[in-house]
Amino acid sequence: MEDGGTQHLGCCVVDMKELSANPEGLTAAAVTITPKLQRLEFSIGNLNDLAASGRDRKPSLVQVAVIEPQKQQLVFHACTEIVEANKDPLFLTGVTFPSEYPDSQDSLVKLTVYDAKTKSQESFEAGACRQTSDLKCTERDVLQSLLCDSQSSFLGSATFSIGDLLRAKDGRLTLSLRSSDGVCTAGTVVVSRLKMGEMEEADHIATDTSSQKCPLVCEPADQSCMDREDYALTGPVFRNPVCKVYRFQTVDSKWMLVREQMEECTLSFTIPKQLLTLYIQEDRSRLQDLEELGELSPHWDNLRKEVVTRYGGVISSYQETLAELEKITGSFKPSCCKAQKSLEFIPINLHTQRMRVTCPQKTDALYDIITVGAPAAHFQGFKCGGLQRLLSRYEAEKKSFSTAYQCIYYSPQHTAKAQEVLSTVSLLQPLITSLADQLLQAALEHSSPGLKDALKSLSDKTEVFVHTLKDELVKSALLALHAARPGYVSKSQRQTPVLCHQQSQGVDLNHSPVQGLPGHSPATPVTESPVACNNVKGGGDAGSLKHQDSIPHHKEYDEEEWDRVWANVAKCLNCVIAMVDKLLEGDNSKPEPAPEQQLADVITSHNPGDWRDQLSPLVTRLKECVLEVVEKAKRAMTFVLLQEAVCSIPQGFHLQQRRDVVFSQALAALACGFVMRLYAGLQDNDFLRQLHLVGLVAQFESLLSTYSEEIGMLEDMEVGISDLQRVMFKITEAKTDDLSELQPSVCGRRDHFTVEVPLPQVIFQTLPEEIKEGKPLRVFPVLFNVGINEQQTIAERFGDISLQERINQKNFEILEAYYKTLREKVPLECLPCFQTQTDIKELLETLGQNVVTKKRKNVEILWIAGTICRRLNGIRFTSCKSAKDRTSMSVTLEQCALLRDEHQLSKDFFVRALDCMRREGCRIENVQKNIRCRKYAFNMLQLMAFPKCYRPPDGTYGKVDS
């Protein structure tokens, strides 16, 4: 990178100077992409016989830099953890290089050993980074910068070439550390190449730390193993990897090798952009439906115009946001941009993290987790709360809005039903038409199998279509729409025209045609309804009524008409079935004809031509009836949604926008997790079976407090996660193996979305038939929250934590129901095996007890829920406000707990492993990417309120802007 404000760490770095200069968002200049495949990894084993710099040994660390032979430039690359005072320190943090860096085997790696006067490594790394940010510094510059910080004392350095390490017989180099004058020996350092794969059986660790040696780890049989492993994670939607390696001791004195790999996901931007396009299309379609309602009375026409104006404003706002997002080529939104309007649909700090563990005599294990900032509308703020509170308040007030606007109140269930009917008929009508054409084509070809298959599909879809419309809501809405036409007069008013004048005087009418219909509020007085006499204002006279009654399409409404219309579809289908049966059976073998067959006989007798000629009139009539039903149903349901929109002005539109924002963030995270889990399980037949028979559980862990602004974030997150129940996934076959063809896509509308995930053709062909046939795949989202910071302490002692308790109880019930369904459809032997033998049912019982237990900061809820999720083959998510600080503490704790419980991590190494991951692992790199500072945003007062296992090591936290 040429810009001096950008730090090279072998990962994606957001240039904060560039971001400040361009507050509208990220640009291509703000992101640097490094290669994905990690081909060279080594550990810095033992530092032996170090010369003491004073009376007592200080904590030690090793800095790793690279010298390119052509340029003779020293480039800072990595740093080990700080090891406590020890003459022969043993480092657990390894070093990893991307495949294309260094670019030559002649490149030199320089190891510099320091005694540290403080446990904070930021001074070491920041000093080096200041000098090497432009990649054009000298060795002396770096050394002087570090020594001037007065935080370290130089002990010695050693240099080796990449080629030396690659050519070493056992993959191990023992190097002498030279003092600053280059003459004296300050000790030795052991460098060992690390290769993921099977561990050597003979690698034991002596109990005496002074004699510990760095073990050698065997590599996979060939490079393709590594390629497959990386592709499983990096695939088509993951980029900018950050990789860290460690070696930890097991209880039987052997070594395990652990690799963390963190990546960004392109779905952070592609999913929200697709959703915005769908939102715009849906709202435009709503506008068109409103126009197609036809002529309405002045009252309803004015309301329609107001609603159209509101929709226009939403569409315009979404178009502007989409245009801004199209300018951005990045794949990551840093936490400092969480309240930026142009990026409000983008999830905050979305990353995947995979831990791969290699242990002696065991198969490698993978553990995945997705980290993302809590889905919430940060730009809109939380002054009045979040979605859950706002929606409850809005729903309670909506009845009064319906009275003020003189419209019918429809409950959320009726509104949802209207949206479902619209969505279903819009989907089924073209499908039925297509199937009908296929039936005629099969008839033309005289294909009996084709005729049977097409008829079965047509029958199934038509039955679903008829069942959807067999609802009283459609019938009552058609009546209400008829009453909203210009010049409508009710039957009672035709008999007593003077009634209209009485209404103008405030006389109560008890015979409104919409009274008692589903969705009409009994509390709404008829005098407040415009339906009784829509066009008569004040002293309307009988002459005007007579003129309006003469309009043909305003004749008295026939309430039975709708029943006849949708019933005609079923009758037409029966006729088609009868004709097909007749054609297939033949005249000689048919039994006594049924009534429908008699009708088919009549038609056949007048049209004795081929099969298509005999079927065509019946199929045409079926299509005509379906189209007639669709037009009436669409108008009726659009009128229901018009009244919903009228009652929503203006609060409802603002809430819908907020809900769109939160859902966009949640769906991007879910799609990322689904793709990652799918690629990891493509060769697991049991997983694929579970996927199409039941679906996957997606467990979201939240660390938000129930106090101040974060309670609003949690209210947003609760609704956003719950809305993910409307999402289905579908696996498709990619046209080509080009990366652009492997990008997931979203289709649908707000009440139901489908995410299509294309797979390469070779992989797709190995999937179960149900998945290949396009069976929708379900995901069951669950959310568990336990606040851990100082604000949660205030909430527990002086505030209210009922929101957290309700969320945990509700989602426990969802998780329990999922397990019962899974147990019924999939043998439990198909689930993954773990070392811990606790039964899932027992874990659920323990979780249920913890959920109802009154215990402050009961983080066991999160631990048990996470364990159950992994045992159920689920997708794990962890969130806090920005997925940076508390999330990092949780992720590293979970990883070390997995190493302890599943891979026998020595208890003596547990705390060291935890500190290593928090000091030098992927999570501190995540902090660097977000705020350009390697410190977690905690202070000492905050950490006093944290559970001990969630506290970072000394020197890794401080007051920073997050």
Side-chain angles (χ1 to χ4, degrees), residues 414 417 421 466-476 562 566:
H414 286 130
K417 181 63 180 178
V421 170
V466 172
H467 179 74
T468 300
L469 297 173
K470 192 178 180 181
D471 194 284
E472 283 297 318
L473 178 62
V474 182
K475 187 175 180 179
S476 64
W562 171 247
W566 68 259

Side-chain angles (χ1 to χ4, degrees), residues 739-750:
L739 288 183
S740 62
E741 296 287 344
L742 298 176
Q743 298 298 316
S745 60
V746 187
C747 59
R749 49 197 300 156
R750 286 183 177 93

Side-chain angles (χ1 to χ4, degrees), residues 748-854:
R749 49 197 300 156
R750 286 183 177 93
D751 61 317
H752 180 79
F753 286 103
T754 299
V755 180
E756 295 186 354
V757 182
L759 291 179
Q761 297 173 354
V762 176
I763 297 177
F764 182 82
Q765 294 304 320
T766 65
L767 299 177
E769 288 300 322
E770 293 85 351
I771 296 179
K772 289 197 291 185
E773 291 171 0
K775 181 178 180 179
L777 309 174
R778 292 194 62 186
V779 171
F780 297 81
V782 292
L783 168 65
F784 291 92
N785 184 86
V786 176
I788 63 171
N789 65 2
E790 79 287 355
Q791 290 186 327
Q792 187 64 20
T793 302
I794 298 174
E796 290 174 338
R797 294 186 178 180
F798 310 109
D800 180 14
I801 61 170
S802 59
L803 173 64
Q804 175 175 288
E805 293 173 340
R806 181 181 55 76
I807 288 174
N808 291 341
Q809 180 61 45
K810 175 184 174 182
N811 286 273
F812 166 72
E813 294 169 0
I814 296 173
L815 185 60
E816 189 176 40
Y818 171 83
Y819 174 68
K820 289 180 180 178
T821 304
L822 180 67
R823 189 175 54 186
E824 293 170 359
K825 296 186 178 182
V826 178
L828 295 183
E829 293 76 17
C830 294
L831 296 177
C833 297
F834 284 82
Q835 293 294 319
T836 51
Q837 298 300 317
T838 308
D839 183 70
I840 298 179
K841 184 178 180 180
E842 184 179 338
L843 287 171
L844 279 167
E845 291 174 355
T846 306
L847 177 61
Q849 293 169 2
N850 275 276
V851 164
V852 298
T853 300
K854 301 291 184 180

Side-chain angles (χ1 to χ4, degrees), residues 266-567:
T266 59
L267 300 183
S268 289
F269 280 78
T270 58
I271 292 293
K273 288 193 286 188
Q274 292 181 57
L275 275 178
L276 278 167
T277 301
L278 292 174
Y279 290 152
I280 293 170
Q281 291 175 356
E282 181 179 347
D283 290 345
R284 281 177 172 169
S285 176
R286 187 68 53 79
L287 290 180
Q288 184 177 352
D289 291 341
L290 289 173
E291 293 299 325
E292 292 175 355
L293 276 178
E295 193 176 2
L296 297 176
S297 68
H299 171 78
W300 282 107
D301 194 48
N302 289 334
L303 291 178
R304 174 167 59 179
K305 290 177 181 177
E306 187 171 356
V307 170
V308 166
T309 301
R310 292 282 180 177
Y311 273 121
V314 173
I315 292 172
S316 177
S317 173
Y318 285 3
Q319 286 174 328
E320 291 177 4
T321 300
L322 183 58
E324 289 298 319
L325 293 180
E326 292 292 353
K327 301 175 184 177
I328 300 172
T329 58
S331 56
F332 160 66
K333 171 184 171 181
S335 62
C336 58
C337 297
K338 58 178 168 281
Q340 191 168 309
K341 181 169 191 325
S342 62
L343 298 175
E344 63 177 340
F345 285 85
I346 310 301
I348 302 166
N349 192 19
L350 175 61
H351 283 83
T352 63
Q353 185 154 330
R354 166 168 291 175
M355 179 175 72
R356 181 181 178 185
V357 185
T358 298
C359 285
Q361 299 179 321
K362 290 184 180 179
T363 305
D364 284 13
L366 302 177
Y367 302 97
D368 297 337
I369 193 166
I370 292 86
T371 59
V372 61
H378 290 273
F379 172 76
Q380 299 181 32
F382 309 96
K383 185 177 181 180
C384 299
L387 273 172
Q388 189 272 334
R389 193 188 327 173
L390 293 171
L391 287 170
S392 299
R393 185 186 307 156
Y394 161 72
E395 205 56 52
E397 296 174 350
K398 198 163 65 171
K399 287 188 179 182
S400 62
F401 296 157
S402 65
T403 301
Y405 283 98
Q406 295 187 331
C407 60
I408 301 171
Y409 168 74
Y410 285 96
S411 67
Q413 293 76 20
H414 286 130
T415 302
K417 181 63 180 178
Q419 292 171 336
E420 178 188 342
V421 170
L422 274 176
S423 178
T424 303
V425 298
S426 298
L427 177 67
L428 289 179
Q429 189 262 333
L431 188 57
I432 290 173
T433 300
S434 175
L435 291 172
D437 292 337
Q438 291 179 26
L439 184 71
L440 291 178
Q441 182 62 30
L444 179 64
E445 298 171 356
H446 281 255
S447 170
S448 296
L451 209 58
K452 290 178 182 179
D453 293 342
L455 180 63
K456 184 180 186 306
S457 299
L458 179 63
S459 299
D460 292 344
K461 298 304 179 185
T462 306
E463 287 174 8
V464 173
F465 179 81
V466 172
H467 179 74
T468 300
L469 297 173
K470 192 178 180 181
D471 194 284
E472 283 297 318
L473 178 62
V474 182
K475 187 175 180 179
S476 64
L478 282 169
L479 175 56
L481 175 59
H482 186 80
R485 297 297 186 192
Y488 168 80
V489 179
S490 67
K491 182 177 180 180
S492 60
Q493 289 172 322
R494 294 174 188 279
Q495 298 169 354
T496 55
V498 73
L499 210 55
C500 290
H501 179 70
Q502 291 175 345
Q503 181 185 0
S504 68
Q505 303 301 321
V507 177
D508 186 17
L509 302 179
N510 294 315
H511 302 287
S512 168
V514 293
Q515 270 296 7
L517 294 176
H520 185 270
S521 174
T524 306
V526 180
T527 53
E528 297 171 352
S529 173
V531 176
C533 185
N534 270 319
N535 265 353
V536 183
K537 299 182 180 180
D541 54 46
S544 62
L545 284 175
K546 182 176 180 181
H547 173 72
Q548 291 165 345
D549 285 345
S550 65
I551 301 176
H553 67 278
H554 294 146
K555 62 187 178 182
E556 184 176 337
Y557 183 73
D558 182 1
E559 296 188 21
E560 302 302 322
E561 180 185 1
W562 171 247
D563 292 332
R564 291 194 297 271
V565 168
W566 68 259

